[in-house]
């Protein structure tokens, strides 16, 4: 009887390994999804290293914009940064940043080191604005239409294909 009790941890380990293998083999969910035209948050954010606030609904300039949520502590944010530079080059003034749950001086140093692709950077130190957007984790990118609705929500780092998808909405 005691020998059978010794097998319980081994069976639990085999069961957990089976769940892990199942998760590895399962088809990955797409990181890009068209949004359901929900309204973008109306919250205002203080501007990084400047006076004033910025809101993305309605979008500044009254035309579609891109809002990228990032942080200096986020390794994938650094990986996607060259694509943000390219997006900014293709669509000047249409890319805005939102520094998520980060110290403003760290965010400023991050942008100074890698280059600042953003027209304006808002600061969301407490993370409530990210929650308003529906953020699941940085980096995430949102295309906001001229009417203030989210037209595209990209979870995770941008890919080269995403630049074309975003460009079609701008």
């Amino acid at each position: 009887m005691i020998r059978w009790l010794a097998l319980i941890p081994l069976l639990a380990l085999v069961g957990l390994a089976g769940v892990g293998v199942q998760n590895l083999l399962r088809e990955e969910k797409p990181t890009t999804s068209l949004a359901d035209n929900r309204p973008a948050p109306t919250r205002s954010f203080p501007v990084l290293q400047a006076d004033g606030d910025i809101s993305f609904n309605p979008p500044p300039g009254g035309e579609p914009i891109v809002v990228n949520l990032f942080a200096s502590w986020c390794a994938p944010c650094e990986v996607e940064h060259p694509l943000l530079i390219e997006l900014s080059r293709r669509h000047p003034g249409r890319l805005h940043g939102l520094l998520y749950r980060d110290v403003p001086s760290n965010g400023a140093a991050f942008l100074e080191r890698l280059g600042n692709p953003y027209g304006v950077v808002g600061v969301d130190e407490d993370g409530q604005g990210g929650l308003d957007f529906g953020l699941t984790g940085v980096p995430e990118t949102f295309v906001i239409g001229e009417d203030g609705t989210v037209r595209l929500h990209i979870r995770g780092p941008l890919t080269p294909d995403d630049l074309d998808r975003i460009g079609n909405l701008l």
Side-chain angles (χ1 to χ4, degrees):
M1 173 81 172
I2 294 177
R3 285 184 166 192
W4 287 105
L5 289 176
L7 288 177
I8 291 174
L10 179 61
L11 292 174
L13 182 61
V14 168
L16 286 173
V19 169
V21 168
Q22 180 184 10
N23 284 335
L24 287 173
L25 296 176
R26 140 177 113 191
E27 197 173 306
E28 199 171 319
K29 289 190 245 178
T31 57
T32 303
S33 63
L34 285 174
D36 56 353
N37 290 326
R38 61 187 162 85
T42 57
R43 179 185 299 264
S44 292
F45 302 96
V47 175
L48 181 67
Q49 296 185 313
D51 292 331
D53 293 332
I54 186 166
S55 176
F56 303 113
N57 185 2
E63 57 187 3
I65 61 167
V66 179
V67 179
N68 175 258
L69 282 77
F70 74 101
S72 67
W73 45 261
C74 165
C77 296
E78 191 163 336
V79 170
E80 85 168 349
H81 205 80
L83 289 173
L84 293 171
I85 297 286
E86 176 61 21
L87 182 63
S88 179
R89 187 191 65 72
R90 290 185 192 180
H91 306 282
R94 306 282 285 279
L95 174 61
H96 300 286
L98 185 59
L99 182 63
Y100 177 74
R101 295 189 65 110
D102 204 344
V103 178
S105 60
N106 292 348
F110 176 86
L111 294 174
E112 185 175 320
R113 181 169 55 87
L114 297 176
N116 186 351
Y118 306 112
V120 177
V121 178
V123 178
D124 182 23
E125 280 189 87
D126 66 4
Q128 291 305 304
L131 295 177
D132 291 350
F133 266 101
L135 180 75
T136 59
V138 289
E140 287 191 18
T141 304
F142 300 84
V143 176
I144 301 173
E146 63 277 352
D147 61 353
T149 59
V150 175
R151 299 293 168 89
L152 181 66
H153 177 184
I154 300 171
R155 294 175 182 91
L158 294 176
T159 66
D161 289 341
D162 292 327
L163 297 186
D164 293 332
R165 189 173 296 117
I166 290 168
N168 290 336
L169 293 171
L170 292 178

